[in-house]
Amino acid sequence: MDTIDTICKSNCSEVYCLDTTWTDNSTTVSLCDVTSSLITDVIILPNGCVEISTKGVAGRDTICVTVCDDVTGKCDTTIIVILVPPTVDTFLIQ
């Protein structure tokens, strides 16, 4: 199991690529957990990557993604931990 820790500003979209070098070039990428309060969209890309979009809400969330080798049946799970920091308002004092 791998873990990716990342910081993503509110309303962002980021691409995370998973390690598929151990497979025989025939892989299936799937989500093993889609329950989320911060993530608005997850797109599985054909190259072993996933694109994740977040809401405009601060917090911490996780998503689980599985890569399986279609030839051997072996699978690897990656947990992506996303931290969305609060937006800081600044004031200009003159």
Side-chain angles (χ1 to χ4, degrees), residues 10 14 40 53 57 64-65 67 74-75 89 92-93:
S10 64
E14 295 282 338
T40 59
S53 301
V57 179
C64 175
V65 184
V67 176
K74 293 181 181 179
C75 296
D89 292 329
L92 178 61
I93 302 174

Side-chain angles (χ1 to χ4, degrees), residues 10-53:
S10 64
N11 294 316
C12 81
S13 180
E14 295 282 338
V15 174
Y16 305 96
C17 294
L18 309 175
D19 179 17
T20 59
T21 57
W22 56 273
T23 65
D24 289 329
N25 295 324
S26 178
T27 60
T28 301
V29 178
S30 58
L31 301 176
C32 46
D33 181 15
V34 293
T35 305
S36 174
S37 60
L38 298 177
I39 298 169
T40 59
D41 195 21
V42 178
I43 300 170
I44 297 174
L45 303 173
N47 58 353
C49 298
V50 292
E51 181 177 353
I52 300 174
S53 301

Side-chain angles (χ1 to χ4, degrees), residues 56-74:
V57 179
R60 181 180 183 272
D61 213 339
T62 60
I63 191 162
C64 175
V65 184
T66 302
V67 176
C68 292
D69 185 318
D70 296 336
V71 175
T72 65
K74 293 181 181 179

